[in-house]
Amino acid sequence: MHFISQELEDYIEQHSEKEPELLAALNKETYQKILLPRMLSGHFQGRVLSMLAKLIRPLNILEIGTYTGYSALCLCEGMQENGTLHTIDIKEELVDFQRKHFNKSPWGKQIFQHLGEAVSIIPTLERKFDLVFIDADKENYLNYFELILPKMNKGGIILSDNVLWSGKVLEQVNPNDLSTKIIMEYNDLLKNDPRVETVLLPIRDGLTVSRIL
C-alpha cells in the first residue's frame, strides 16, 4: 500500500495535524493485540477523514467496516453535536474492543455498533446519511453503493477506501481474483454514474470522494 517512499510519508505526517492521544493509544493497542493491524486507517489517512468530516459537518454518518474503531472516531470529529454514527462489522470478537475506545471518546453514546453482514443491515437503517465510509469486503462494493445511494441526502459524500488495491488495478487481472475485478468495476461505476461526481485521491491504498448529485 506504499506508492511513495517511507521518507516522504514520514514528512507528510510530520506536516499534517498531530494524531490525537486517544487515537494514538488505539493505534498502538491495535498493533499490539489485533490481527492484520495494517487495516487501520492510521495517522495520515485518519487526519484526512477528520478534515473531510469537518468540512462536510454530517448529521448522520454510516461506516461499513469498523475494524478497531479508528476511522469511526476520526469521522466523529466532524459530526454535528447531536449527530450519530452507525458502524457495521462482522467480527464479533472486536465489538468489546471497539466499544472500550468509543466510550473513552466524547461520542460514545452517539456511536451505534451493528454486528453482521452489511448487505442485510443497511436496508434496516431508517435514516438519511450525509457521509458514508466504505471500507469492508471489496467483493460487495458494488452492492454497498446501490444500497447506500437511496439513503443519502443530496450533496452527501461517499468515501471509498482501497480503490487502488495495492496497484492491482493496473495489472492483468487473474480470472480467479474477484476482489480486484470488483474494485475495477466499482471505480468505473463511480467515474461514469450520473448520480455522483467523483475524485480519486492517491492516499495510502486509494480513497475516492463521491458527491451525490
Side-chain angles (χ1 to χ4, degrees):
M1 292 196 296
H2 294 276
F3 298 108
I4 60 175
S5 70
Q6 187 60 55
E7 291 79 11
L8 196 52
E9 285 196 6
D10 292 342
Y11 183 88
I12 289 168
E13 286 195 5
Q14 292 163 9
H15 290 81
S16 298
E17 283 296 311
K18 184 179 178 181
E19 186 178 37
E21 289 185 10
L22 173 63
L23 290 175
L26 171 53
N27 194 334
K28 182 178 180 180
E29 189 171 352
T30 297
Y31 272 83
Q32 290 174 335
K33 299 179 179 179
I34 308 298
L35 291 174
L36 301 174
R38 69 193 289 269
M39 291 172 56
L40 194 82
S41 289
H43 175 190
F44 173 58
Q45 184 171 343
R47 291 304 87 206
V48 172
L49 295 177
S50 171
M51 181 67 78
L52 289 171
K54 288 170 183 173
L55 292 170
I56 297 163
R57 294 294 294 151
L59 177 62
N60 293 309
I61 304 171
L62 173 62
E63 178 184 53
I64 304 172
T66 315
Y67 189 48
T68 56
Y70 190 99
S71 54
L73 291 172
C74 292
L75 295 170
C76 282
E77 292 178 28
M79 185 170 63
Q80 293 184 34
E81 188 175 344
N82 60 336
T84 64
L85 182 141
H86 291 259
T87 185
I88 305 171
D89 206 285
I90 60 171
K91 295 181 179 177
E92 186 175 2
E93 67 272 19
L94 292 178
V95 170
D96 291 341
F97 186 97
Q98 298 159 3
R99 177 48 58 184
K100 178 180 72 172
H101 290 280
F102 290 160
N103 287 343
K104 291 179 181 179
S105 78
W107 311 285
K109 294 181 179 179
Q110 296 165 264
I111 300 175
F112 298 89
Q113 295 162 283
H114 301 270
L115 181 64
E117 297 285 347
V119 290
S120 299
I121 293 171
I122 293 169
T124 71
L125 301 176
E126 298 180 354
R127 64 188 61 229
K128 290 281 191 174
F129 294 98
D130 308 294
L131 176 60
V132 175
F133 181 44
I134 304 176
D135 188 19
D137 56 316
K138 312 311 167 192
E139 294 178 12
N140 267 312
Y141 267 36
L142 294 166
N143 295 326
Y144 295 151
F145 180 77
E146 295 298 342
L147 288 170
I148 288 166
L149 215 58
K151 293 182 176 292
M152 295 292 297
N153 284 318
K154 186 175 181 179
I157 298 294
I158 298 174
L159 304 174
S160 308
D161 201 13
N162 302 115
V163 292
L164 293 179
W165 206 224
S166 299
K168 291 182 181 179
V169 292
L170 296 180
E171 300 172 358
Q172 185 71 32
V173 180
N174 185 315
N176 298 321
D177 187 354
L178 183 58
S179 294
T180 299
K181 181 175 180 291
I182 293 295
I183 286 291
M184 294 174 72
E185 289 181 16
Y186 182 70
N187 290 341
D188 288 341
L189 171 67
L190 293 184
K191 173 63 172 66
N192 297 311
D193 195 306
R195 297 171 293 180
V196 295
E197 59 178 342
T198 294
V199 61
L200 197 163
L201 305 175
I203 293 171
R204 288 188 80 229
D205 196 27
L207 180 73
T208 47
V209 181
S210 303
R211 177 175 173 268
I212 309 302
L213 299 176

